[in-house]
Amino acid sequence: MHQTVRDHWIAFNNPLEGRVDFMYLDQKGWVSTGIGNKIDQTAAANSPPSPAERSASLALANELRWLDGSGSPVSADLVAAEWDNVKARLDLAPQGHTAFKPPFTSLHVENDEIDRHVFAKLDQMESFLTQRPEFTGFASWPANAQLATLSMCWALGPAFKFPKLQGHVSVRNWTGAADECHFTPDEGTIRIRNKLDRAHFLLARTVEDQGLPGDRLALDLSDVFGVQGALLVLGHDPGPQDGADGPRTQAAVRKFQGDNGLDQNGSGADPATLAALSSRLSESGFTVLGV
């Protein structure tokens, strides 16, 4: 993958998955941790594992360096006990990760270990994906197309089956890919991921049509959704990237404006603000459109 995709990966996924340093059940009842990292090989959602599935799951869990409350490494047996305790509470899965925070759980991983694990999984995903015939040209794709495809892999796994999308990307038809990248349930952060993936496939088309550098991620500042994405990239939290110009987005704009010596009017459509956003993004290695 292009370096810019790798550099942007955690910032892209953090708002969608959150960063959780303990084990929890996701909405489908799979034990997870980190930034949406599933450590569960149970085949069926919201179901207890078979002995073989449990064994495979514990192998995944033990790829991470788990610590106890005092910060000391723990044994594989303690990791297994924690995993079993979390998996046994399928009734709590709909409540999200907060239902499993300490003291329900007692083990945690440090931030640098979360990052290490995320990038290890990202590399494994890319390796698997590029062995599939439709994705053999992945290395030469525009960065935006790589990001959108890897985003789908992060949510669905790199073996996902979307025949129409696979046909489109194999011939670099990014518009067709944008139309076929949607997956369900289209709610919550999945809805935002769907919108982001579509936007990045369309940006890949623009990059190729205009002969822009393919190894740089392009961002579009022509609407609130794009401005929210730019703020996230630059370390300002506008809340959910939902395209709504609400109080949190306006507060993030005002913070950015204040940091850059601008009138703090909270308007992301302000020409001086857009110019400053464009400048900061360009300095960070992005191609900026829509300004």
Side-chain angles (χ1 to χ4, degrees):
M1 77 191 74
H2 298 300
Q3 187 63 42
T4 186
V5 176
R6 190 177 185 85
D7 291 345
H8 184 51
W9 185 251
I10 285 180
F12 178 83
N13 282 284
N14 255 338
L16 300 172
E17 302 288 352
R19 177 181 286 261
V20 183
D21 65 356
F22 50 87
M23 296 187 205
Y24 66 95
L25 293 181
D26 69 9
Q27 292 295 310
K28 293 188 176 182
W30 284 310
V31 183
S32 302
T33 193
I35 304 178
N37 297 113
K38 190 171 79 166
I39 48 174
D40 194 333
Q41 292 288 72
T42 310
N46 297 304
S47 300
S50 69
E53 289 170 340
R54 177 181 179 272
S55 178
S57 300
L58 294 179
L60 286 180
N62 278 291
E63 290 179 3
L64 288 129
R65 184 173 181 267
W66 292 97
L67 308 175
D68 62 19
S70 67
S72 299
V74 299
S75 67
D77 286 344
L78 282 177
V79 174
E82 186 93 290
W83 192 96
D84 287 339
N85 185 42
V86 170
K87 188 66 173 179
R89 294 305 306 271
L90 291 169
D91 59 305
L92 296 179
Q95 298 182 32
H97 73 271
T98 57
F100 299 91
K101 67 183 181 180
F104 185 96
T105 50
S106 60
L107 307 183
H108 70 280
V109 288
E110 295 182 329
N111 272 326
D112 59 352
E113 177 67 357
I114 290 175
D115 291 350
R116 181 203 64 77
H117 190 245
V118 164
F119 286 119
K121 292 303 176 184
L122 179 63
D123 290 340
Q124 290 173 15
M125 264 188 349
E126 181 188 25
S127 178
F128 183 96
L129 183 74
T130 54
Q131 298 303 308
R132 300 178 61 184
E134 303 93 339
F135 302 96
T136 53
F138 181 84
S140 69
W141 290 3
N144 292 89
Q146 290 186 350
L147 180 62
T149 304
L150 290 170
S151 170
M152 293 184 67
C153 291
W154 201 251
L156 301 169
F160 68 82
K161 303 294 184 184
F162 280 53
K164 291 182 180 179
L165 178 137
Q166 292 159 219
H168 290 314
V169 299
S170 69
V171 294
R172 304 172 80 101
N173 177 4
W174 309 126
T175 302
D179 290 338
E180 298 294 340
C181 67
H182 176 276
F183 62 94
T184 57
D186 189 26
E187 57 189 33
T189 56
I190 293 177
R191 178 174 297 171
I192 297 173
R193 189 179 289 277
N194 279 332
K195 189 171 181 179
L196 282 165
D197 294 347
R198 175 177 171 79
H200 279 290
F201 276 126
L202 292 175
L203 284 166
R205 180 200 64 189
T206 300
V207 165
E208 290 201 333
D209 287 350
Q210 296 186 14
L212 299 171
D215 61 346
R216 291 167 60 111
L217 282 168
L219 295 179
D220 183 358
L221 302 184
S222 64
D223 56 20
V224 175
F225 186 77
V227 169
Q228 288 173 328
L231 289 167
L232 285 167
V233 165
L234 297 172
H236 298 275
D237 182 8
Q241 192 175 351
D242 55 8
D245 189 20
R248 287 183 65 182
T249 295
Q250 293 169 15
V253 170
R254 281 193 292 272
K255 179 64 166 61
F256 174 81
Q257 290 168 331
D259 289 350
N260 288 272
L262 302 171
D263 178 26
Q264 296 183 53
N265 56 34
S267 172
D270 174 65
T273 300
L274 287 173
L277 282 170
S278 178
S279 178
R280 299 292 89 77
L281 289 170
S282 296
E283 291 169 0
S284 299
F286 293 88
T287 295
V288 182
L289 304 170
V291 178

